[in-house]
């Protein structure tokens, strides 16, 4: 029973990992700092650990999909991220790919239920 639960947990983690980039990019049309992004995603049912999010944000920035800026006017400095023009293009294509894949998977799952 414990091994089955571990296997399922691992498979669910793999499934989620494949959706995190699209999930994060979907929320970055306006500048957000990390904690606000975690909250925004969680409100929509997408849980993400900050230890996963921050390296992902840095990687997306390095790839040119996000840009960042520091805001130091508040009580503590915050680094805000936002999609770049290139990030917008990639996001649109990923969203399109996701919709096609989701339709295909939905058809497979419905077929299996008949």
């Amino acid at each position: 029973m414990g091994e089955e639960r571990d296997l399922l947990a691992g498979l669910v983690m793999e499934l989620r990992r494949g959706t995190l980039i699209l999930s994060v990019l979907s929320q970055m049309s306006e500048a957000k700092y990390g904690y606000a992004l975690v909250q925004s995603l969680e409100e929509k049912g997408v849980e993400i650990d900050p230890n996963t999010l921050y390296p992902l944000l840095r990687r997306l920035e390095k790839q040119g999909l996000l840009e960042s800026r520091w805001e130091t006017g508040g009580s503590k400095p915050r680094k805000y991220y936002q999609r770049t023009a290139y990030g917008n293009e990639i996001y649109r294509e990923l969203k399109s790919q996701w919709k096609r894949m989701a339709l295909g998977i939905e058809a497979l799952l419905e077929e299996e239920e008949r």
Side-chain angles (χ1 to χ4, degrees), residues 35-61:
Y35 183 70
L37 180 56
V38 168
Q39 287 181 311
S40 176
L41 289 167
E42 287 182 353
E43 286 171 5
K44 293 167 180 76
V46 178
E47 293 182 24
I48 187 165
D49 186 279
N51 293 326
T52 300
L53 176 64
Y54 290 106
L56 176 59
L57 290 172
R58 287 190 295 273
R59 189 174 90 227
L60 294 174
E61 183 177 22

Side-chain angles (χ1 to χ4, degrees), residues 88-105:
N88 289 333
E89 291 175 36
I90 295 296
Y91 169 64
R92 280 191 297 272
E93 183 58 35
L94 286 175
K95 188 166 71 168
S96 175
Q97 292 287 333
W98 172 262
K99 287 180 179 182
R100 283 196 292 275
M101 287 173 35
L103 285 172
I105 290 172

Side-chain angles (χ1 to χ4, degrees), residues 2 5 7 18 21 24 27 33 35 40-41 47 51 61 72-74 77-80 83-84 98 103 109:
R5 201 175 334 227
L7 174 62
I21 291 172
V24 167
Q27 300 301 295
Y33 61 97
Y35 183 70
S40 176
L41 289 167
E47 293 182 24
N51 293 326
E61 183 177 22
T72 57
R78 290 185 172 148
K79 190 173 189 179
Y80 283 78
R83 279 192 320 250
T84 61
W98 172 262
L103 285 172
L109 297 177

